[in-house]
Amino acid sequence: MQQSTLDEAVVGKPEEKAPQPHQIVGADGKATRDKPWIIRTYAGHSSAKASNELYRSNLSRGQTGLSIAFDLATQCGYDSDDSIARPEVGKVGVPINSLDDFHVLFDQIPIEEMNTSMTINGTAMWLLSLYVALARERGVDLKKLAGTTQNDLIKEYLARGTYIFPPDASLRIIAEMYEFCLEEIPNWNASNICSYHLQEAGATPVQELSFALANAIGLLDLLKKRGKFTTRQFEKAVGRISFFVNAGMRFVEEMCKMRAFAELWTEITRERYGVTDERYTRFRYGVQVNSLGLTEVQPENNAWRILIEALGVTLSRDARCRALQLPAWNEALSLPRPWDQQWSLRLQQIFAYETDLLEYPDLFTGSAVIESKVNALKTQAKEEIDRILGMGGVVGAIENGYMKSALVRSMSERVSRINNGEQVVVGLNKWTDGIPSPLVGGDDGGLFILDDSATSDTLDNLEKVRRNRDPERVKAAIAALKDAAHSGDSMMEPSIECALARVTTGEWAHALRQVFGEYRPSTGVDGQRLGLTGNRVDALRARIDALVDTLGHRPRIVVGKPGLDGHSNGAEVIAVSARHVGFDVIYSGIRLSAEEIVRSAVEEGADLIGASVLSGSHVELAAQIMGGLKAEGADQAIKVVVGGIIPIPDIAKLQALGVMKVFTPSDYDLLDIMESVVGLLEEQP
Amino acid sequence: MTRHLLPRSPAVTPAELAEQALTRARHPVARLVSLAEDGRSGASAIYDEAMAVLEADAERRNHTARVIGVTGSPGSGKSSLLSRVANAMVAADPDLTVAVVAVDPSSPSSGGALLGDRTRMVVDTAQNRIYFRSQASATALGGLAPTTFQVCRALSLIFKCVIVETVGVGQSEADVRHLADRVFLVVAPLSGDEIQYLKAGIIEVPDAFVVNKSDEPAATRTYHQLRGSLWLARPSDAHDIPIYRTSAKTGRGIDELARDFLTIVTAENATPVRERAPHFFTAWVRDEWGRVGARHLAEQLGGARAFLATQNGFASARRSFDASIRAALHG
Ligand code: B12
Ligand SMILES: Nc1nc2c(ncn2[C@@H]2O[C@H](COP(=O)(O)OP(=O)(O)OP(=O)(O)O)[C@@H](O)[C@H]2O)c(=O)[nH]1
Ligand SMILES: [Mg+2]
């Protein structure tokens, strides 16, 4: 109803007049108004049952698509009862162990009518197989399924962390999914090329452009080389490539970035792949706006930031996103509560329906300023793309660590600028005094409190599946999967058979781990420094030199990322800072068990373990580390500090475990952190 | 938020520490290594005492470890290779124990080091047959840390095989040859320039070569170039020098290399690491006291070997040397 009133206002009165340049011309030759972009919210938690209830209530309120968040165990290919998975079950998304869980998750949801977007990567082929198996058991025609599996492993190695296999195997899996989907599930996007996560890991606009486009080139080159597609099919596959992009506070530059993306993509599809059908050369993209810049301090300011960030991807019609997802004001505090999501949703609705934005053609065409900026971005991005292609493309540039180092360097520069005040973040490093926020004044402190009683449901169901299935069929299905993996045949059908046979997520991933091996990408921290100098740095270095005398060695810190959490920024920045002020630093990257971290610290004679946890499982993981140290007899020799997203009520719990200090996002001043840590080592009993 | 600090470590006597370390329990082994690295006089006295216990024990057991040195240019894949080889070695020999000491470069401006070698090391946490320790090179050149010798000496009394990975060095100076029974030089597929550079010095040093990253196409050419260069640079022994072709990525050649490492471990007539002390003692003297020190050692004390024979260990030898030269200079 709202919509039609607005339409009238535009198309309105002067019936006869031809549309003016400031108006959008519809198919009927009359002035019209654009349809708004797709408005999305990303959800899922606790258990299949709880998430099903959440989705059904969202759908009953008119939402048409599903955007599914999976828990880290599911994303990394572990069963819920695996020891590394246990602390993470249901924390940041829904746990899925087998097809039975999918039946619960989609209970009473007509999948043939849904557009289902799954944020799933390392196990994307498995989750798609489960979805296909669900459709087969329900008798739904696969042609009617629509949706997306995110399935971009390059950005997992670089920024998001839910990879499993080495790059070549990962790309083969993606390619096989394209080959399966193109004819079998024509409305399925087998993958999404993501630059969103790269910006969240510090990427500059040029890096976002070039890494994402090089990634798309890597994929298309591979599809071409595999030769499974006819020319016509290949063109269609090009047309199915869509992007998932970020937009930050520098919204003018961000808008230019989107224009540059669109122009470059059209050039690449035409020139590199000879695609002529115009439908297949269009740059299609969805957006989640930047969250990295959202602060824990004065969290109400984030509401304005989110609004401004949305401008960059909506203002210009020629480069407007197709779908938009907004974070919430309390992003740096916890997962959003339903009200927080609603508040962000309202922002989009107000923007799309109350303003006149959607009535105009592109506002910036012909602007010399914009054109110049776009061209500058394009030129730099092309140079960078060429550099990456010269290294053998994205796979080469992952394996030699080039792209990861570049991101860690950008991130180190960013935090250095915020630390020395060059980059203003209101409320954080400028205008820091403020009236306490009433938004965090409620009983829950503005936090989402997870009900983890659902975990036992998940574990029970997993037990039940294992008990009730046909073990012979399971064995045969897994053997067939491994055979395909070895022989180079497509793993899609064998995976679907695994799903139908009630193979579990961990079993599927483990079978392929045995064939492909596991991969640990480079950490990118080697050779990095902070852009910070001056008296405080000198003083810290002097204090550390003094510690060499009191400890008998240069102080050593193991920076650890225990569990499945892939948020590496904080750990990387701390590792770089610690070396910058003179620590000897051991940082072995994400996804190590608490046991492995303890082992490193003990063997290396470290003085300190600094664990970084942002996935919400800090209490369980800290307990594992403390227990591990005790078991090694090193609990008195090695001190433990923890940083990350630690809600205030949990700080006391960590301290009770023996954690010496706790740091959160408001501790942005790296030298403060280093002074505090050095102070801890200086205190002698 | 700070809790009251706990005392650093449970108190043990040097002899107890040595006993515990012999079980290869990680924390005691690590403490022993830390003592070997600790330059303070209190610590070095404890180190010498613990070492005396360990030496006596080794003699009783007739235990002599082998030391294998692995050097090569930065990023050639030394650590990745060692992770694979060490695991293959302990898998092949159920009685074998291995300690890996890996040296990383320190930052000249902050003094801190990023100890990245460990990142490549993947070991089953359940077993303690492999011990891995990183060292920072500090100001030392030549690929080792100032205390690598003492650390290896301690580990050689506990483990059967000690493998030392040097800093990625390209230059001809490779101290590891004074420490190891055998030195392996790891190269990645090379450009022509790098081959020239290799010929200019380091090619003289190693007992064996490893062309790693043999999954890369350029590896075959490198192998042949290296063979050719060896004929020119070392005509007398070029015949006997093995060149392994490996890939830490695909696993190619790993078993063969591990087998060679195992042969070294089981070879007769090993030199105990302690015998290598004179070189490292002389190096220490030169570092601390320069040419004056070297002359004092040679002329007044009869050289490193003779002097060490009169001392109760490496660390206490340093202390007596300090006292002796101070007396000579001021007296
Ligand atoms: C950037 C980001 C990402 C990036 C990560 C990129 C990367 N490589 O790090 C991407 C986009 C990939 C990502 C993905 C996800 N994210 Co995220 N992400 C964030 C975000 C916006 C910022 C975190 C950050 O990097 N900050 C910058 C660094 C420098 O700060 P920091 O880590 O806080 O570290 C500082 C201090 O905390 C402290 N510190 C931290 N660690 C340590 C350690 C030591 C030893 C010391 C001394 C100090 C210290 O010092 C640091 C310096 O100032 C936060 C929200 C927020 N604004 O904080 C959400 C957030 C952490 N993400 C969240 C979630 C749920 C996810 C996903 C799991 C979503 C999903 N279901 O798929 C995924 C999966 C990621 C995975 N594999 O684990 C949630 C976690 C919720 C929770 N804990 O309950 C958050 C809080 C957002 C939210 N409100 O929902 N994310
Ligand atoms: N393709 C390929 N890459 C390898 C191989 N071995 C190691 N690498 C890669 O080469 C890079 C360096 O490997 P490292 O094992 O750290 O090399 P290193 O010689 O120990 O390096 P430094 O200790 O820094 O001198 C990493 O990115 C490895 O993944 C191999 O056999 N093939
Ligand atoms: Mg190394």
Side-chain angles (χ1 to χ4, degrees):
Chain A
M1 203 181 75
Q2 252 171 335
Q3 175 88 51
S4 66
T5 330
L6 281 166
D7 282 348
E8 259 164 49
V10 184
V11 186
K13 312 287 148 50
E15 290 287 333
E16 310 311 322
K17 253 204 203 151
Q20 304 283 297
H22 68 267
Q23 292 178 315
I24 299 170
V25 187
D28 56 1
K30 289 186 189 154
T32 179
R33 177 188 164 86
D34 280 333
K35 276 212 299 223
W37 52 88
I38 298 167
I39 298 173
R40 281 214 179 113
T41 40
Y42 178 50
H45 61 80
S46 312
S47 68
K49 192 154 172 285
S51 298
N52 170 263
E53 280 159 20
L54 178 70
Y55 299 155
R56 279 194 288 139
S57 95
N58 287 350
L59 291 170
S60 70
R61 289 201 211 106
Q63 186 178 308
T64 54
L66 292 176
S67 178
I68 303 179
F70 295 96
D71 76 353
L72 289 173
T74 308
Q75 295 192 50
C76 299
Y78 295 102
D79 285 339
S80 297
D81 59 357
D82 199 301
S83 67
I84 198 160
R86 273 299 277 109
E88 314 283 357
V89 175
K91 284 254 162 60
V92 296
V94 56
I96 298 296
N97 287 300
S98 75
L99 185 54
D100 285 357
D101 288 336
F102 249 33
H103 276 287
V104 175
L105 185 68
F106 293 101
D107 183 37
Q108 298 173 54
I109 296 175
I111 54 174
E112 58 280 19
E113 291 165 25
M114 287 295 115
N115 187 305
T116 304
S117 156
M118 303 189 201
T119 301
I120 195 74
N121 296 275
T123 51
M125 177 179 269
W126 174 238
L127 272 295
L128 177 62
S129 300
L130 288 171
Y131 203 63
V132 170
L134 178 71
R136 287 196 186 159
E137 287 192 353
R138 282 193 183 177
V140 170
D141 180 4
L142 295 192
K143 303 262 175 330
K144 290 200 173 132
L145 298 184
T148 307
T149 32
Q150 189 172 74
N151 201 17
D152 169 0
L153 272 296
I154 296 299
K155 69 90 173 56
E156 294 295 324
Y157 300 125
L158 291 174
R160 194 173 171 281
T162 69
Y163 46 78
I164 304 176
F165 315 117
D168 287 333
S170 292
L171 281 178
R172 170 181 158 197
I173 290 174
I174 300 172
E176 288 182 3
M177 288 171 68
Y178 271 89
E179 287 156 5
F180 179 86
C181 291
L182 199 77
E183 302 298 340
E184 301 285 329
I185 332 175
N187 293 317
W188 197 269
N189 295 307
S191 83
N192 228 213
I193 304 288
C194 302
S195 73
Y196 166 78
H197 311 80
L198 306 181
Q199 184 177 126
E200 296 293 306
T204 62
V206 171
Q207 287 170 333
E208 228 194 296
L209 283 165
S210 52
F211 290 11
L213 291 169
N215 185 0
I217 289 173
L219 175 59
L220 287 175
D221 281 2
L222 178 67
L223 287 176
K224 192 151 212 181
K225 194 172 113 200
R226 288 169 61 88
K228 304 262 155 102
F229 286 145
T230 63
T231 310
R232 183 68 200 149
Q233 281 176 322
F234 181 77
E235 285 210 345
K236 252 164 81 182
V238 174
R240 286 237 71 90
I241 302 248
S242 63
F243 291 77
F244 181 45
V245 178
N246 206 325
M249 288 302 290
R250 294 168 54 83
F251 72 98
V252 179
E253 184 174 47
E254 292 294 57
M255 188 194 75
C256 296
K257 177 186 80 187
M258 298 321 310
R259 295 172 84 94
F261 247 134
E263 290 179 20
L264 286 168
W265 183 240
T266 303
E267 283 171 34
I268 290 168
T269 51
R270 285 207 192 123
E271 288 159 23
R272 191 176 179 96
Y273 300 110
V275 177
T276 45
D277 190 329
E278 209 233 312
R279 283 174 304 164
Y280 300 148
T281 65
R282 246 178 259 151
F283 182 72
R284 300 182 302 138
Y285 76 102
V287 173
Q288 158 110 13
V289 303
N290 182 291
S291 280
L292 179 63
L294 303 181
T295 57
E296 179 188 19
V297 290
Q298 302 185 13
E300 65 279 7
N301 298 346
N302 295 330
W304 305 150
R305 294 195 177 101
I306 294 164
L307 166 62
I308 292 165
E309 289 173 339
L311 297 178
V313 289
T314 48
L315 279 187
S316 117
R317 186 176 188 255
D318 282 356
R320 187 170 293 149
C321 61
R322 307 221 162 184
L324 182 59
Q325 224 161 261
L326 298 180
W329 68 277
N330 58 350
E331 170 75 14
L333 304 178
S334 79
L335 290 168
R337 300 164 303 176
W339 180 83
D340 307 317
Q341 287 196 320
Q342 177 187 296
W343 194 22
S344 287
L345 179 71
R346 292 290 181 260
L347 188 167
Q348 292 211 50
Q349 292 166 333
I350 290 169
F351 195 13
Y353 294 101
E354 290 190 20
T355 75
D356 57 350
L357 177 70
L358 296 175
E359 292 163 18
Y360 302 105
D362 192 82
L363 301 176
F364 302 97
T365 306
S367 156
V369 175
I370 299 296
E371 195 178 322
S372 162
K373 179 76 191 175
V374 170
N375 286 336
L377 288 170
K378 280 175 68 182
T379 310
Q380 292 174 59
K382 278 186 190 160
E383 280 168 16
E384 188 62 20
I385 292 172
D386 286 342
R387 195 167 302 133
I388 293 168
L389 294 180
M391 293 172 191
V394 277
V395 171
I398 292 284
E399 285 182 340
N400 69 11
Y402 171 78
M403 290 199 286
K404 181 65 185 175
S405 286
L407 289 181
V408 177
R409 189 171 322 112
S410 297
M411 181 54 105
S412 303
E413 285 166 5
R414 175 181 179 275
V415 292
S416 300
R417 283 197 306 273
I418 294 174
N419 269 252
N420 63 28
E422 227 175 277
Q423 180 171 336
V424 171
V425 182
V426 174
L428 186 72
N429 65 1
K430 211 170 171 128
W431 300 296
T432 52
D433 287 338
I435 299 163
S437 171
L439 287 178
V440 294
D443 286 343
D444 58 6
L447 304 179
F448 174 82
I449 313 287
L450 190 73
D451 166 24
D452 44 15
S453 64
T455 305
S456 58
D457 258 15
T458 303
L459 295 174
D460 289 349
N461 289 340
L462 176 57
E463 269 306 303
K464 221 180 290 162
V465 171
R466 289 204 190 111
R467 246 193 341 263
N468 295 340
R469 61 192 188 175
D470 169 2
E472 289 310 312
R473 187 175 177 190
V474 167
K475 224 196 282 152
I478 291 179
L481 174 67
K482 283 165 111 175
D483 281 350
H486 274 300
S487 72
D489 289 346
S490 173
M491 294 169 281
M492 255 325 283
E493 281 297 347
S495 294
I496 296 167
E497 168 55 19
C498 283
L500 292 165
R502 267 52 180 183
V503 166
T504 63
T505 300
E507 289 166 344
W508 178 87
H510 187 63
L512 294 185
R513 278 189 186 101
Q514 288 179 331
V515 179
F516 298 128
E518 288 181 78
Y519 192 66
R520 294 193 67 74
S522 107
T523 62
V525 294
D526 207 356
Q528 309 285 357
R529 65 199 55 183
L530 294 179
L532 300 179
T533 50
N535 294 341
R536 285 181 74 199
V537 174
D538 294 344
L540 267 165
R541 288 180 179 173
R543 280 168 71 183
I544 288 193
D545 285 343
L547 270 174
V548 176
D549 292 329
T550 44
L551 298 174
H553 56 261
R554 187 163 281 281
R556 280 192 166 192
I557 178 171
V558 169
V559 178
K561 288 285 308 168
L564 298 179
D565 175 22
H567 292 91
S568 59
N569 292 338
E572 288 157 4
V573 164
I574 294 297
V576 172
S577 307
R579 195 190 86 127
H580 188 72
V581 300
F583 276 93
D584 280 343
V585 179
I586 290 150
Y587 171 60
S588 298
I590 59 170
R591 284 174 59 188
L592 294 171
S593 65
E595 201 185 350
E596 287 167 305
I597 289 167
V598 166
R599 178 184 176 138
S600 288
V602 171
E603 286 193 346
E604 296 289 357
D607 304 286
L608 195 69
I609 293 178
S612 181
V613 186
L614 284 80
S615 67
S617 45
H618 42 275
V619 176
E620 295 92 324
L621 291 168
Q624 287 179 6
I625 289 177
M626 304 311 292
L629 284 174
K630 197 161 279 165
E632 296 271 1
D635 51 321
Q636 300 183 37
I638 300 173
K639 291 167 193 157
V640 178
V641 300
V642 173
I645 303 289
I646 316 291
I648 291 167
D650 288 350
I651 292 179
K653 291 186 203 164
L654 292 176
Q655 282 177 312
L657 287 170
V659 172
M660 296 272 178
K661 290 193 185 224
V662 174
F663 301 91
T664 68
S666 58
D667 297 305
Y668 78 95
D669 186 321
L670 297 166
L671 298 180
D672 276 355
I673 296 179
M674 289 301 129
E675 283 162 1
S676 163
V677 169
V678 169
L680 194 57
L681 296 181
E682 285 166 344
E683 291 172 31
Q684 286 295 332
Chain B
M1 268 179 230
T2 313
R3 273 168 35 113
H4 182 68
L5 213 110
L6 301 154
R8 252 190 77 72
S9 280
V12 287
T13 65
E16 282 166 351
L17 181 62
E19 294 301 330
Q20 292 171 2
L22 279 169
T23 68
R24 296 191 317 278
R26 283 190 268 273
H27 186 48
V29 173
R31 286 180 76 184
L32 185 70
V33 173
S34 297
L35 279 172
E37 291 175 328
D38 193 332
R40 297 170 308 167
S41 62
S44 51
I46 303 174
Y47 169 75
D48 276 347
E49 253 186 82
M51 286 296 286
V53 175
L54 290 171
E55 297 271 12
D57 176 86
E59 207 152 319
R60 210 170 34 245
R61 289 186 293 138
N62 204 8
H63 166 100
T64 324
R66 302 302 189 286
V67 180
I68 298 172
V70 176
T71 188
S73 49
S76 53
K78 301 179 289 298
S79 307
S80 313
L81 206 55
L82 283 183
S83 172
R84 289 242 192 195
V85 169
N87 280 298
M89 286 168 78
V90 297
D93 177 352
D95 295 325
L96 183 67
T97 56
V98 180
V100 181
V101 178
V103 190
D104 277 300
S106 299
S107 151
S109 52
S110 79
L114 189 90
L115 304 169
D117 293 325
R118 184 164 197 112
T119 309
R120 309 275 171 217
M121 199 69 200
V122 186
V123 221
D124 180 359
T125 33
Q127 54 175 356
N128 55 0
R129 289 203 289 141
I130 299 179
Y131 174 83
F132 186 98
R133 178 78 170 215
S134 311
Q135 287 203 296
S137 67
T139 50
L141 304 170
L144 301 182
T147 56
T148 305
F149 165 70
Q150 280 122 281
V151 167
C152 288
R153 187 167 165 189
L155 292 171
S156 75
L157 300 171
I158 302 169
F159 294 86
K160 290 196 176 154
C161 176
V162 179
I163 305 178
V164 182
E165 177 190 336
T166 73
V167 176
V169 280
Q171 59 277 63
S172 54
E173 186 46 57
D175 269 351
V176 70
R177 67 172 186 261
H178 301 293
L179 178 59
D181 294 298
R182 294 245 287 166
V183 174
F184 288 72
L185 182 84
V186 181
V187 298
L190 301 169
S191 68
D193 281 358
E194 285 165 314
I195 292 272
Q196 290 309 320
Y197 186 61
L198 192 77
K199 280 200 281 199
I202 194 136
I203 197 164
E204 309 275 355
V205 175
D207 303 299
F209 291 81
V210 181
V211 177
N212 188 40
K213 307 199 185 185
S214 65
D215 51 282
E216 289 177 6
T220 310
R221 205 186 54 224
T222 298
Y223 171 82
H224 291 296
Q225 280 175 326
L226 189 58
R227 262 278 165 246
S229 308
L230 272 174
W231 284 115
L232 295 173
R234 297 169 65 168
S236 57
D237 64 353
H239 239 317
D240 310 322
I241 301 173
I243 305 180
Y244 292 92
R245 290 196 260 185
T246 61
S247 166
K249 182 177 171 183
T250 64
R252 169 179 177 190
I254 300 294
D255 285 341
E256 205 187 334
L257 187 59
R259 226 174 295 130
D260 189 26
F261 275 35
L262 285 170
T263 339
I264 301 171
V265 175
T266 49
E268 302 284 319
N269 301 329
T271 323
V273 176
R274 115 176 78 82
E275 307 267 299
R276 302 176 184 279
H279 170 82
F280 289 93
F281 192 75
T282 312
W284 173 82
V285 167
R286 222 178 287 117
D287 258 13
E288 285 292 302
W289 295 97
R291 229 180 303 158
V292 179
R295 210 175 310 127
H296 183 77
L297 180 65
E299 291 167 12
Q300 307 299 315
L301 303 173
R305 190 169 296 276
F307 178 64
L308 283 169
T310 68
Q311 299 295 317
N312 291 325
F314 196 89
S316 67
R318 286 190 319 214
R319 289 196 304 280
S320 354
F321 182 87
D322 280 345
S324 158
I325 191 169
R326 277 210 186 89
L329 292 176
H330 301 293

